[in-house]
Amino acid sequence: MSIENSKKLLVLGYVWPEPNSSAAGRHMLSLLTLFVQQGWQVTFASPALQGEHKVDLTELGIDEQAVTINCSSFDDFVNELNPSIVLFDRFMLEEQFGWRVAKHCPDALRILDTEDLHSLRHARHQALKQNRPLTPADLSSDVAKREIAAIFRCDLSLIISDYEFELLKNHYSVPEHILLHCPFMLDLQNVTPSANSFLDRQHFISIGNFRHEPNWDAVLFLKQTIWPLIRKQLPQAELHIYGAYPPPKATQLHNPKQGFLVKGWAEDAKQVMQQARVCLAPLRFGAGIKGKLAEAMFCGTPNVTTNIGSEGMNMGLDWSGLTTDLTQFDNQENSASDFAKHAVQLYQNEALWQQKQQHGYQIIKTNFNKEEIQTTLLARIVDIQHNLNNHRSNNFIGQMLQHHQLKSTQYMAQWIEAKNR
């Protein structure tokens, strides 16, 4: 099979893309756009309900299809479509549909877009809830076993963070030939110095989809711990909280007297980001790379975040703000105080602010160059397609897991389907 004469791509989405709601939505849209521009026939299918901020993929020339889990109707659908490549959006979709794709389209290249390592985020969340550091045992959870198995079963997995790439390679012994570091793909032609200077800007901003647990934890931590410390030193400052799908528990935190303003959905995230002087992202757990911080750098807005917030983004370059480790469980009060001090320092020091702004532009231009990342991705796809049998033969663990998953998952799905009748 060659990429030249077979350009039919099926994307199985965990959710329908919402590029204005989440970094995952923007990343997925950039992948879809790339394949459309390459002349591919792209179909996006999902079992999920459509959200209110869903992008209309048909305007991009992409066919939209609803599919059902645990149902043989998918077999007919994928047989008729006969894609040359299937891209799974997150490991849960590979679990659900991977065995069906392997059975009915065995020659289709199977790609997993991890978005972030869900098992790493889950492990860090469990450690936080138990008020303790992360341990090696946390990385062997049931979620980790499921996710790593899905990575082994696929021909290629797109890994958004260099930290996670090294973790997969060194801790989980995943062969490097089935991994590709694929961070955000940003259009550098639009990266220009912001017209809004230090003095033109005011207040702090925090932004993130409220349905993403690390974002909600960050908002709550800001409200209860960090913002009161900042407000003591900057009594006129305000913190503007933006994000899609704010629940009542979030909107109830809105308090103008405290300068804590929960504004919810932002029609134009770039506009509100460019008006703020400093972006706050006190992320205490999570994984992947952070769309809110890429957006801040793109808009020339320095940030204060955590080691987890900056992870996988600077790749050896100077950071676009100041960081604090909020996972020092034996010294949390001092950590929160340090975060607040950094926020005040960056808010008041124009020279430092300008330096960090320039660091942000450098990170964007060096690490998220759309042209370079797209070229690498397409070249890897061509190479694997031209050598698919050899590629798979060098991944025995993946073949073994595929064999057993075809049995266990197939029988479970057929049992559920029969039960639902």
Side-chain angles (χ1 to χ4, degrees):
M1 181 189 302
S2 70
I3 201 167
E4 290 80 10
N5 60 25
S6 186
K7 290 190 168 186
K8 194 179 289 187
L9 170 70
L10 170 63
V11 179
L12 292 166
Y14 180 68
V15 294
W16 293 92
E18 295 190 6
N20 293 325
S21 298
S22 70
R26 286 191 292 278
H27 189 56
M28 174 55 70
L29 187 62
S30 67
L31 288 170
L32 294 172
T33 303
L34 168 62
F35 287 110
V36 169
Q37 291 172 346
Q38 293 295 311
W40 287 65
Q41 178 186 332
V42 180
T43 300
F44 190 96
S46 177
L49 296 175
Q50 296 188 6
E52 61 182 287
H53 304 305
K54 168 192 168 293
V55 69
D56 185 358
L57 296 176
T58 62
E59 293 184 353
L60 300 174
I62 297 171
D63 184 35
E64 296 182 355
Q65 294 288 336
V67 291
T68 305
I69 61 173
N70 299 313
C71 182
S72 58
S73 61
F74 180 83
D75 300 345
D76 298 330
F77 163 71
V78 79
N79 257 323
E80 182 178 351
L81 185 63
N82 192 26
S84 50
I85 296 181
V86 177
L87 188 148
F88 303 100
D89 172 30
R90 302 172 175 86
F91 80 91
M92 297 82 81
L93 270 291
E94 190 281 336
E95 283 185 327
Q96 182 60 233
F97 296 106
W99 69 270
R100 295 183 185 272
V101 171
K103 180 178 180 180
H104 297 286
C105 304
D107 294 327
L109 180 67
R110 298 188 296 272
I111 301 176
L112 174 60
D113 181 23
T114 58
E115 295 291 355
D116 63 15
L117 282 186
H118 289 56
S119 54
L120 177 61
R121 171 158 40 91
H122 176 265
R124 286 171 168 169
H125 195 187
Q126 295 306 306
L128 176 66
K129 287 192 288 188
Q130 296 170 24
N131 197 38
R132 60 170 178 77
L134 188 72
T135 68
D138 293 317
L139 299 176
S140 299
S141 67
D142 288 346
V143 178
K145 291 167 187 170
R146 291 170 53 199
E147 185 166 34
I148 304 307
I151 290 172
F152 268 103
R153 284 192 297 265
C154 287
D155 300 309
L156 183 67
S157 289
L158 308 183
I159 312 302
I160 204 165
S161 157
D162 65 337
Y163 175 86
E164 294 176 5
F165 187 97
E166 294 301 318
L167 182 69
L168 289 168
K169 189 174 67 170
N170 298 324
H171 182 80
Y172 294 110
S173 300
V174 178
E176 192 168 347
H177 77 281
I178 65 170
L179 302 175
L180 179 67
H181 181 215
C182 186
F184 296 145
M185 296 177 278
L186 303 182
D187 188 353
L188 300 189
Q189 293 180 350
N190 294 327
V191 181
T192 56
S194 173
N196 293 357
S197 69
F198 175 86
L199 295 176
D200 292 330
R201 299 165 178 249
Q202 59 180 342
H203 305 312
F204 295 87
I205 187 173
S206 184
I207 190 167
N209 191 319
F210 282 93
R211 289 179 176 174
H212 192 52
E213 287 185 294
N215 292 338
W216 167 240
D217 176 78
V219 169
L220 206 57
F221 195 58
L222 279 166
K223 172 70 174 181
Q224 296 174 345
T225 306
I226 293 176
W227 183 244
L229 299 174
I230 296 174
R231 183 79 167 178
K232 280 183 181 179
Q233 299 180 67
L234 300 171
Q236 302 305 314
E238 297 173 357
L239 173 56
H240 298 185
I241 308 284
Y242 292 93
Y245 304 108
K249 64 181 180 180
T251 55
Q252 289 169 5
L253 299 179
H254 181 81
N255 190 322
K257 289 184 178 180
Q258 297 174 354
F260 196 91
L261 309 178
V262 181
K263 299 198 167 186
W265 168 258
E267 288 289 340
D268 188 339
K270 285 186 172 63
Q271 181 183 25
V272 296
M273 183 65 77
Q274 288 176 341
Q275 292 173 346
R277 185 174 292 178
V278 175
C279 174
L280 301 181
L283 297 163
R284 300 194 294 170
F285 69 100
I289 57 178
K290 313 305 179 289
K292 60 181 68 62
L293 296 178
E295 187 104 83
M297 288 184 265
F298 204 92
C299 295
T301 308
N303 65 81
V304 181
T305 188
T306 64
N307 296 352
I308 289 175
S310 63
E311 181 181 274
M313 298 196 72
N314 56 330
M315 302 183 215
L317 298 176
D318 291 328
W319 183 241
S320 59
L322 301 173
T323 61
T324 301
D325 185 359
L326 292 180
T327 61
Q328 299 180 43
F329 296 99
D330 58 344
N331 202 13
Q332 293 185 62
E333 186 174 331
N334 285 345
S335 296
S337 178
D338 287 344
F339 191 100
K341 288 177 183 176
H342 283 156
V344 173
Q345 180 186 10
L346 194 53
Y347 194 84
Q348 293 181 322
N349 189 326
E350 183 174 359
L352 177 64
W353 187 93
Q354 290 174 340
Q355 179 191 57
K356 296 302 181 181
Q357 182 186 62
Q358 293 304 313
H359 289 168
Y361 291 142
Q362 188 61 45
I363 290 172
I364 290 288
K365 292 176 182 177
T366 304
N367 297 340
F368 305 115
N369 185 323
K370 180 177 74 171
E371 302 295 333
E372 292 181 359
I373 298 167
Q374 289 180 345
T375 298
T376 302
L377 172 59
L378 293 173
R380 179 67 76 85
I381 289 174
V382 170
D383 181 63
I384 296 175
Q385 280 199 312
H386 287 170
N387 302 280
L388 187 57
N389 289 335
N390 287 337
H391 181 82
R392 287 177 175 172
S393 68
N394 290 323
N395 178 19
F396 177 76
I397 292 177
Q399 290 179 312
M400 179 177 63
L401 291 169
Q402 187 71 51
H403 169 79
H404 288 289
Q405 194 224 20
L406 274 170
K407 306 298 182 187
S408 60
T409 315
Q410 175 181 350
Y411 295 150
M412 175 61 74
Q414 289 174 337
W415 179 81
I416 293 173
E417 183 177 4
K419 184 173 178 289
N420 289 340
R421 293 197 189 106

